[in-house]
mmCIF file of all heavy atoms in Angstrom:
data_model
loop_
_atom_site.group_PDB
_atom_site.id
_atom_site.type_symbol
_atom_site.label_atom_id
_atom_site.label_comp_id
_atom_site.label_asym_id
_atom_site.label_seq_id
_atom_site.Cartn_x
_atom_site.Cartn_y
_atom_site.Cartn_z
ATOM 1 N N CYS A 27 4.726 27.591 1.018
ATOM 2 C CA CYS A 27 5.650 28.549 0.451
ATOM 3 C C CYS A 27 4.786 29.688 -0.234
ATOM 4 O O CYS A 27 4.087 29.419 -1.164
ATOM 5 C CB CYS A 27 6.585 28.004 -0.541
ATOM 6 S SG CYS A 27 7.782 29.158 -1.140
ATOM 7 N N HIS A 28 5.032 30.945 0.266
ATOM 8 C CA HIS A 28 4.294 32.074 -0.251
ATOM 9 C C HIS A 28 5.099 32.871 -1.237
ATOM 10 O O HIS A 28 4.766 34.045 -1.616
ATOM 11 C CB HIS A 28 3.949 33.017 0.904
ATOM 12 C CG HIS A 28 3.038 32.348 1.911
ATOM 13 N ND1 HIS A 28 1.667 32.418 1.909
ATOM 14 C CD2 HIS A 28 3.277 31.477 2.965
ATOM 15 C CE1 HIS A 28 1.136 31.722 2.831
ATOM 16 N NE2 HIS A 28 2.138 31.181 3.513
ATOM 17 N N CYS A 29 6.214 32.329 -1.799
ATOM 18 C CA CYS A 29 7.125 33.138 -2.661
ATOM 19 C C CYS A 29 6.479 33.538 -3.951
ATOM 20 O O CYS A 29 5.450 32.973 -4.369
ATOM 21 C CB CYS A 29 8.451 32.380 -2.863
ATOM 22 S SG CYS A 29 8.471 31.195 -4.146
ATOM 23 N N ALA A 30 7.114 34.476 -4.610
ATOM 24 C CA ALA A 30 6.590 35.025 -5.865
ATOM 25 C C ALA A 30 6.522 33.964 -6.980
ATOM 26 O O ALA A 30 5.562 33.903 -7.732
ATOM 27 C CB ALA A 30 7.433 36.198 -6.359
ATOM 28 N N ASN A 31 7.566 33.076 -7.108
ATOM 29 C CA ASN A 31 7.571 31.997 -8.085
ATOM 30 C C ASN A 31 6.395 31.054 -7.824
ATOM 31 O O ASN A 31 5.739 30.652 -8.778
ATOM 32 C CB ASN A 31 8.891 31.197 -7.908
ATOM 33 C CG ASN A 31 9.972 31.857 -8.729
ATOM 34 O OD1 ASN A 31 9.791 32.821 -9.453
ATOM 35 N ND2 ASN A 31 11.161 31.293 -8.584
ATOM 36 N N CYS A 32 6.120 30.719 -6.595
ATOM 37 C CA CYS A 32 5.037 29.733 -6.297
ATOM 38 C C CYS A 32 3.723 30.360 -6.553
ATOM 39 O O CYS A 32 2.776 29.694 -6.964
ATOM 40 C CB CYS A 32 5.148 29.263 -4.798
ATOM 41 S SG CYS A 32 6.482 28.058 -4.562
ATOM 42 N N LYS A 33 3.551 31.639 -6.400
ATOM 43 C CA LYS A 33 2.341 32.325 -6.825
ATOM 44 C C LYS A 33 2.091 32.144 -8.310
ATOM 45 O O LYS A 33 1.019 31.871 -8.777
ATOM 46 C CB LYS A 33 2.322 33.761 -6.343
ATOM 47 C CG LYS A 33 2.070 33.974 -4.871
ATOM 48 C CD LYS A 33 2.071 35.471 -4.537
ATOM 49 C CE LYS A 33 1.539 35.727 -3.166
ATOM 50 N NZ LYS A 33 2.303 35.097 -2.090
ATOM 51 N N LYS A 34 3.176 32.463 -9.032
ATOM 52 C CA LYS A 34 3.067 32.384 -10.514
ATOM 53 C C LYS A 34 2.677 30.948 -10.941
ATOM 54 O O LYS A 34 1.833 30.786 -11.827
ATOM 55 C CB LYS A 34 4.379 32.784 -11.176
ATOM 56 C CG LYS A 34 4.825 34.185 -11.025
ATOM 57 C CD LYS A 34 4.133 35.115 -12.045
ATOM 58 C CE LYS A 34 4.812 36.489 -11.980
ATOM 59 N NZ LYS A 34 3.951 37.505 -12.565
ATOM 60 N N LEU A 35 3.346 29.961 -10.431
ATOM 61 C CA LEU A 35 3.218 28.657 -10.922
ATOM 62 C C LEU A 35 1.953 27.944 -10.444
ATOM 63 O O LEU A 35 1.473 26.991 -11.018
ATOM 64 C CB LEU A 35 4.454 27.854 -10.677
ATOM 65 C CG LEU A 35 4.899 27.475 -9.270
ATOM 66 C CD1 LEU A 35 4.152 26.276 -8.751
ATOM 67 C CD2 LEU A 35 6.374 27.201 -9.259
ATOM 68 N N SER A 36 1.431 28.405 -9.264
ATOM 69 C CA SER A 36 0.306 27.762 -8.730
ATOM 70 C C SER A 36 -1.032 28.335 -9.150
ATOM 71 O O SER A 36 -2.084 27.624 -9.064
ATOM 72 C CB SER A 36 0.356 27.760 -7.213
ATOM 73 O OG SER A 36 0.118 29.108 -6.764
ATOM 74 N N GLY A 37 -1.036 29.572 -9.530
ATOM 75 C CA GLY A 37 -2.337 30.238 -9.793
ATOM 76 C C GLY A 37 -3.045 30.604 -8.570
ATOM 77 O O GLY A 37 -4.233 30.959 -8.524
ATOM 78 N N GLY A 38 -2.372 30.549 -7.419
ATOM 79 C CA GLY A 38 -2.963 30.840 -6.145
ATOM 80 C C GLY A 38 -1.971 31.587 -5.239
ATOM 81 O O GLY A 38 -1.049 32.207 -5.793
ATOM 82 N N ALA A 39 -2.159 31.471 -3.929
ATOM 83 C CA ALA A 39 -1.349 32.199 -2.961
ATOM 84 C C ALA A 39 0.047 31.618 -2.809
ATOM 85 O O ALA A 39 0.969 32.275 -2.343
ATOM 86 C CB ALA A 39 -2.013 32.171 -1.645
ATOM 87 N N GLY A 40 0.247 30.351 -3.346
ATOM 88 C CA GLY A 40 1.608 29.740 -3.158
ATOM 89 C C GLY A 40 1.408 28.292 -3.328
ATOM 90 O O GLY A 40 0.435 27.824 -3.892
ATOM 91 N N THR A 41 2.471 27.559 -2.831
ATOM 92 C CA THR A 41 2.327 26.119 -2.896
ATOM 93 C C THR A 41 2.433 25.492 -1.557
ATOM 94 O O THR A 41 3.200 26.078 -0.691
ATOM 95 C CB THR A 41 3.432 25.524 -3.834
ATOM 96 O OG1 THR A 41 4.776 25.837 -3.289
ATOM 97 C CG2 THR A 41 3.307 25.977 -5.260
ATOM 98 N N VAL A 42 1.737 24.421 -1.256
ATOM 99 C CA VAL A 42 1.980 23.659 -0.094
ATOM 100 C C VAL A 42 2.712 22.372 -0.441
ATOM 101 O O VAL A 42 2.218 21.632 -1.266
ATOM 102 C CB VAL A 42 0.662 23.410 0.662
ATOM 103 C CG1 VAL A 42 0.889 22.656 1.962
ATOM 104 C CG2 VAL A 42 -0.071 24.704 0.883
ATOM 105 N N ASN A 43 3.837 22.202 0.123
ATOM 106 C CA ASN A 43 4.828 21.193 -0.321
ATOM 107 C C ASN A 43 5.034 20.192 0.798
ATOM 108 O O ASN A 43 5.355 20.458 1.864
ATOM 109 C CB ASN A 43 6.101 21.863 -0.687
ATOM 110 C CG ASN A 43 5.967 22.872 -1.814
ATOM 111 O OD1 ASN A 43 5.685 22.445 -2.962
ATOM 112 N ND2 ASN A 43 6.065 24.113 -1.526
ATOM 113 N N ALA A 44 4.970 18.940 0.377
ATOM 114 C CA ALA A 44 5.332 17.829 1.272
ATOM 115 C C ALA A 44 6.641 17.283 0.759
ATOM 116 O O ALA A 44 6.802 16.927 -0.413
ATOM 117 C CB ALA A 44 4.261 16.740 1.244
ATOM 118 N N ARG A 45 7.543 17.185 1.675
ATOM 119 C CA ARG A 45 8.936 16.841 1.301
ATOM 120 C C ARG A 45 9.094 15.252 1.409
ATOM 121 O O ARG A 45 8.685 14.694 2.395
ATOM 122 C CB ARG A 45 9.929 17.441 2.243
ATOM 123 C CG ARG A 45 11.389 17.183 1.968
ATOM 124 C CD ARG A 45 12.240 17.962 2.844
ATOM 125 N NE ARG A 45 13.609 17.399 3.011
ATOM 126 C CZ ARG A 45 14.610 17.789 2.222
ATOM 127 N NH1 ARG A 45 14.438 18.772 1.356
ATOM 128 N NH2 ARG A 45 15.799 17.321 2.362
ATOM 129 N N SER A 46 9.706 14.698 0.359
ATOM 130 C CA SER A 46 9.884 13.246 0.296
ATOM 131 C C SER A 46 11.242 12.968 -0.260
ATOM 132 O O SER A 46 11.782 13.722 -0.973
ATOM 133 C CB SER A 46 8.783 12.684 -0.625
ATOM 134 O OG SER A 46 8.973 11.326 -0.908
ATOM 135 N N ARG A 47 11.724 11.724 -0.043
ATOM 136 C CA ARG A 47 12.834 11.251 -0.785
ATOM 137 C C ARG A 47 12.369 11.079 -2.249
ATOM 138 O O ARG A 47 11.230 10.644 -2.477
ATOM 139 C CB ARG A 47 13.281 9.879 -0.264
ATOM 140 C CG ARG A 47 14.015 9.982 1.011
ATOM 141 C CD ARG A 47 14.677 8.576 1.370
ATOM 142 N NE ARG A 47 13.847 7.524 1.051
ATOM 143 C CZ ARG A 47 14.046 6.668 0.035
ATOM 144 N NH1 ARG A 47 15.155 6.697 -0.627
ATOM 145 N NH2 ARG A 47 13.209 5.660 -0.216
#
Side-chain angles (χ1 to χ4, degrees):
C27 185
H28 299 264
C29 83
N31 277 355
C32 284
K33 284 181 167 61
K34 294 276 190 199
L35 65 85
S36 70
T41 59
V42 183
N43 299 290
R45 182 178 160 91
S46 171
R47 288 190 320 112

